[in-house]
């Protein structure tokens, strides 16, 4: 029944697919992949069936933005022909692309050097293949205060410029060598803090841009999923140095079961243990509290204390952890609002390839609502 609630709106969105519906389609796929497909393989540690009722109501809240999108989207139908005409005729200059890349590389050059760069300089990169060493090194690097300041230089901007360059390549304004170089530099920057997801997401977004420019079809969507799967396997091979059946099982567990576990933990929290908003960002310390690292707390609760790791929970789970079911409803409404903003802004983004590159980046990022907190998705 729950799977039908996801499949039906997804089927309807794909059946009358419009470019503006892309954020909703990606969000729905994220809910299905991260929070539903692994349910048959998940064993509740509580040993009772109460969690299923809580989880069902949480999924109802997760599906609500899709049904809302079905109401909004028919009024914002943008065909593939429209996007091709808009992107191929929009005024642009490749000089802007060159300038932005040079400016970004200058900022990267003067910024604090990331983990992988230092490891190659020190000749210690052979330790990457040991998973325990990898986790410890990555934790040390991403826990530094400088990480939050420079990650935008290594994740957000390179991805945007790689997408921008690929759009210019499709418009025949950028040669294949410079387009390939742009993608290679962006991929290199994306792995500098030893996180797998930025590299995988960049590859998926590039192929998404490619398919959008050629037109949408179910076959191409399945091809994109297959390419994303290969990118995940490639990322794990890069970091571990091997692939076997056990590792494949761990990858499937990491994708389809882990987020169910963390969401279930969040939904099982008693009201006396709610965090009352203290896990949310507190810019410029407007409120009298220091934000709590929820991922660390969830990891210790689900997998046991004393180990290195971080376990982010879905946006709805964080809503419940802070304010109970009221928080779930509010987060669901915020997701609906964000999807509506992306939907309604699609025509504006089509006026310039750089704007469309940013729009695709944001549209693809909504899959993160099923994996991490609401504000983490909005934070580039």
């Amino acid at each position: 029944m729950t799977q039908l609630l996801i499949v039906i709106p997804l089927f309807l969105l794909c059946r009358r697919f419009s470019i503006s519906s892309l954020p909703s389609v990606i969000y729905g796929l994220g809910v299905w992949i991260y929070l539903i497909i692994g349910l048959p393989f998940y064993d509740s540690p509580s040993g009772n069936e109460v969690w299923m009722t809580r989880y069902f109501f949480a999924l109802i809240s997760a599906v609500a933005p899709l049904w809302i999108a079905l109401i909004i989207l028919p009024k914002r139908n943008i065909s593939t022909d429209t996007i091709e005409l808009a992107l191929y005729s929009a005024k642009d200059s490749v000089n802007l692309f060159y300038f932005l890349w040079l400016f970004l590389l200058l900022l990267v050059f003067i910024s604090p050097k990331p983990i992988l760069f230092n490891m190659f300089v020190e000749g210690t990169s052979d330790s990457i293949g040991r998973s325990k060493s990898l986790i410890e090194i990555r934790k040390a690097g991403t826990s530094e205060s400088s990480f939050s300041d420079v990650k935008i230089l290594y994740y957000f901007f390179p991805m945007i410029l790689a997408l921008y360059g690929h759009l210019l390549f499709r418009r025949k304004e950028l040669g294949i060598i410079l387009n390939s170089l742009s993608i290679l530099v962006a991929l290199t920057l994306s792995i500098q803090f030893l996180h797998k997801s930025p590299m995988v997401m960049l590859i998926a977004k590039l192929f998404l841009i490619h398919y959008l420019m050629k037109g949408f079809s179910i076959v191409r969507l399945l091809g994109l999923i297959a390419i994303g799967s290969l990118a995940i396997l490639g990322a794990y091979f890069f970091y571990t140095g091997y692939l076997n059946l056990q590792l494949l099982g761990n990858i499937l567990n990491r994708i389809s079961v882990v987020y169910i576990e963390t969401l279930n933990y969040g939904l099982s929290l008693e009201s006396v243990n709610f965090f009352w908003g203290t896990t949310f960002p507190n810019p410029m310390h407007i409120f009298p509290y220091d934000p709590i690292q929820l991922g660390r707390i969830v990891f210790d609760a689900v997998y046991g204390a004393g180990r290195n790791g971080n376990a982010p929970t879905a946006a709805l789970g964080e809503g419940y952890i802070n304010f109970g079911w009221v928080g779930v409803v509010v987060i669901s409404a915020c997701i609906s609002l964000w999807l509506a903003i992306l939907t309604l802004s699609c025509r504006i983004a089509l006026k310039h390839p750089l704007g469309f590159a940013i729009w695709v980046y944001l549209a693809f990022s909504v899959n993160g609502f099923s994996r991490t907190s609401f504000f983490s998705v909005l934070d580039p």
Side-chain angles (χ1 to χ4, degrees):
M1 177 62 179
T2 304
Q3 294 186 11
L4 287 177
L5 289 173
I6 291 288
V7 172
I8 290 175
L10 267 180
F11 173 77
L12 294 176
L13 288 168
C14 291
R15 187 169 176 266
R16 52 172 123 166
F17 183 78
S18 166
I19 299 302
S20 59
S21 68
L22 180 65
S24 299
V25 172
I26 291 177
Y27 169 74
L29 287 173
V31 172
W32 189 75
I33 292 171
Y34 298 119
L35 301 180
I36 290 182
I37 198 173
L39 282 173
F41 310 101
Y42 173 62
D43 295 324
S44 173
S46 60
N48 58 57
E49 304 302 322
V50 177
W51 74 274
M52 294 184 64
T53 303
R54 297 192 303 260
Y55 201 85
F56 173 78
F57 282 109
L59 288 180
I60 293 295
S61 299
V63 174
L66 295 180
W67 292 103
I68 294 174
L70 285 172
I71 299 174
I72 297 175
L73 288 177
K75 302 177 182 178
R76 306 295 300 183
N77 187 35
I78 302 176
S79 66
T80 302
D81 294 337
T82 301
I83 183 176
E84 290 182 358
L85 177 62
L87 288 177
Y88 281 111
S89 61
K91 294 182 179 180
D92 193 18
S93 171
V94 72
N95 291 330
L96 175 61
F97 171 76
Y98 296 146
F99 171 77
L100 291 176
W101 257 123
L102 290 174
F103 184 68
L104 174 61
L105 292 176
L106 176 62
L107 292 178
V108 168
F109 179 76
I110 63 177
S111 68
K113 297 300 178 285
I115 306 171
L116 193 57
F117 176 85
N118 291 329
M119 291 179 69
F120 277 113
V121 171
E122 297 168 2
T124 59
S125 57
D126 58 336
S127 64
I128 294 177
R130 300 195 300 272
S131 59
K132 182 177 179 180
S133 175
L134 168 64
I135 294 174
E136 292 175 349
I137 295 170
R138 188 171 66 182
K139 180 183 177 183
T142 54
S143 62
E144 294 176 358
S145 58
S146 60
F147 174 69
S148 60
D149 299 326
V150 302
K151 69 176 182 179
I152 194 171
L153 300 179
Y154 290 86
Y155 294 167
F156 177 69
F157 287 135
M159 288 188 186
I160 294 297
L161 293 181
L163 297 177
Y164 182 29
H166 196 60
L167 283 170
L168 294 176
F169 169 71
R170 296 294 306 173
R171 285 162 52 109
K172 302 186 184 306
E173 296 179 13
L174 189 68
I176 187 172
I177 295 178
L178 289 178
N179 179 48
S180 302
L181 181 61
S182 170
I183 294 172
L184 179 61
V185 173
L187 286 171
T188 303
L189 292 176
S190 73
I191 64 174
Q192 289 301 307
F193 288 95
L194 302 181
H195 285 272
K196 300 176 288 294
S197 59
M199 178 176 66
V200 174
M201 293 300 178
L202 174 56
I203 294 174
K205 290 169 187 175
L206 285 168
F207 278 96
L208 182 61
I209 283 279
H210 181 76
Y211 287 146
L212 288 177
M213 295 289 282
K214 294 184 65 175
F216 178 84
S217 72
I218 295 297
V219 174
R220 287 174 182 158
L221 177 62
L222 294 176
L224 180 62
I225 294 174
I227 291 168
S229 301
L230 291 175
I232 292 173
L233 293 176
Y236 271 90
F237 181 78
F238 174 79
Y239 286 113
T240 62
Y242 67 92
L243 282 176
N244 54 33
L245 290 178
Q246 181 180 359
L247 180 61
L248 293 177
N250 292 338
I251 293 174
L252 293 175
N253 178 76
R254 180 68 176 82
I255 294 173
S256 60
V257 177
V258 166
Y259 299 109
I260 296 175
E261 290 179 330
T262 57
L263 178 56
N264 182 36
Y265 164 76
L267 296 174
S268 66
L269 210 63
E270 299 292 337
S271 59
V272 293
N273 296 320
F274 287 166
F275 288 88
W276 304 111
T278 54
T279 69
F280 296 148
N282 186 15
M284 297 183 293
H285 291 279
I286 298 175
F287 302 101
Y289 72 88
D290 292 322
I292 297 173
Q293 293 185 352
L294 181 60
R296 182 68 237 179
I297 295 175
V298 174
F299 184 91
D300 290 343
V302 175
Y303 304 108
R307 300 166 56 192
N308 288 325
N310 189 55
T313 186
L316 295 177
E318 185 174 28
Y320 187 91
I321 285 172
N322 282 280
F323 301 107
W325 289 110
V326 173
V328 171
V329 173
V330 170
I331 292 295
S332 178
C334 289
I335 293 174
S336 299
L337 177 61
W338 182 239
L339 292 179
I341 291 173
L342 291 175
T343 297
L344 300 176
S345 63
C346 183
R347 288 189 182 273
I348 300 174
L350 284 170
K351 294 181 179 180
H352 195 283
L354 178 58
F356 189 67
I358 296 173
W359 186 86
V360 168
Y361 176 92
L362 296 175
F364 194 90
S365 298
V366 298
N367 76 87
F369 288 132
S370 301
R371 299 181 288 110
T372 188
S373 69
F374 180 83
F375 294 101
S376 293
V377 175
L378 299 187
D379 180 7

